[in-house]
């Protein structure tokens, strides 16, 4: 019988376990950034709470984006421990959530600012994009990220 040369390697669940622990601890530390820096003024009004939710969405969405890049980076010791196919699957499942959360951040921060200023959402969005440094590149980056999702 002729060998095809293909070998299949089953990856141990230990690799998945340490990856899960690592990502869970990272997410916990990310959320702790928000919780430990909150002040009483961050929950003093409806719009302040909305801005806090926005920051939470931004932190979590950014963490997911960084993890998504890490998952697909083809790091040899990570691939050996977890397996490339599983990493790609995790990447594909996690990717949309980073976009949803970063999109929620944009919506909630605009909603919060518009509510505090008493203007329409479109007016506040235009104001933010034109008056805050790096907002145009941030918008372009978000659009490019969104175009890469399947």
């Amino acid at each position: 019988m002729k060998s095809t040369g293909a070998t299949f390697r089953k990856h141990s669940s230990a690799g998945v376990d340490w990856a899960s622990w690592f990502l869970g601890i990272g997410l916990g530390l990310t959320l702790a950034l928000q919780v430990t820096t909150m002040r009483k003024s961050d929950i003093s009004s409806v719009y302040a709470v909305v801005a806090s939710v926005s920051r939470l969405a931004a932190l979590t969405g950014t963490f997911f984006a960084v993890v998504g890049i890490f998952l697909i980076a083809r790091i040899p010791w990570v691939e050996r421990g977890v397996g490339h196919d599983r990493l790609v699957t995790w990447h594909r499942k996690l990717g949309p959530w980073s976009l949803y959360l970063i999109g929620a951040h944009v919506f909630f921060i605009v909603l919060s600012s518009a509510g505090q200023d008493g203007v329409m959402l479109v007016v506040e969005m235009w104001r933010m994009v034109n008056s805050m440094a790096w907002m145009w590149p941030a918008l372009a980056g978000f659009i490019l990220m969104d175009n890469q999702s399947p």
Side-chain angles (χ1 to χ4, degrees):
M1 186 144 118
K2 192 174 190 180
S3 174
T4 61
T7 59
F8 296 97
R9 184 173 164 203
K10 181 168 172 36
H11 298 280
S12 71
S13 64
V16 175
D17 290 345
W18 70 256
S20 299
W21 274 102
F22 178 75
L23 297 177
I25 290 169
L27 181 58
L29 291 172
T30 300
L31 297 176
L33 283 172
Q34 170 70 11
V35 173
T36 59
T37 59
M38 287 187 72
R39 299 178 305 252
K40 190 175 182 180
S41 62
D42 291 333
I43 55 172
S44 63
S45 71
V46 172
Y47 295 117
V49 170
V50 171
S52 294
V53 169
S54 171
R55 284 190 297 276
L56 186 64
L59 284 168
T60 307
T62 303
F63 176 76
F64 285 172
V66 169
V67 167
I69 292 168
F70 177 78
L71 292 173
I72 207 70
R74 309 271 332 232
I75 300 168
W77 58 272
V78 175
E79 279 194 14
R80 277 193 303 273
V82 178
H84 180 71
D85 291 344
R86 186 174 285 148
L87 290 170
V88 170
T89 300
W90 290 354
H91 170 82
R92 291 180 62 83
K93 288 182 178 182
L94 189 63
W97 288 103
S98 70
L99 292 174
Y100 299 152
L101 288 165
I102 294 170
H105 161 65
V106 171
F107 174 75
F108 286 134
I109 203 66
V110 171
L111 179 67
S112 172
S113 295
Q116 289 174 354
D117 295 344
V119 298
M120 294 188 321
L121 290 175
V122 175
V123 171
E124 187 62 33
M125 179 70 156
W126 184 253
R127 240 191 245 171
M128 288 178 128
V129 167
N130 287 305
S131 66
M132 294 180 166
W134 293 97
M135 279 298 131
W136 282 110
L139 181 60
F142 180 72
I143 290 168
L144 291 172
M145 277 178 60
D146 189 39
N147 286 335
Q148 296 300 314
S149 64

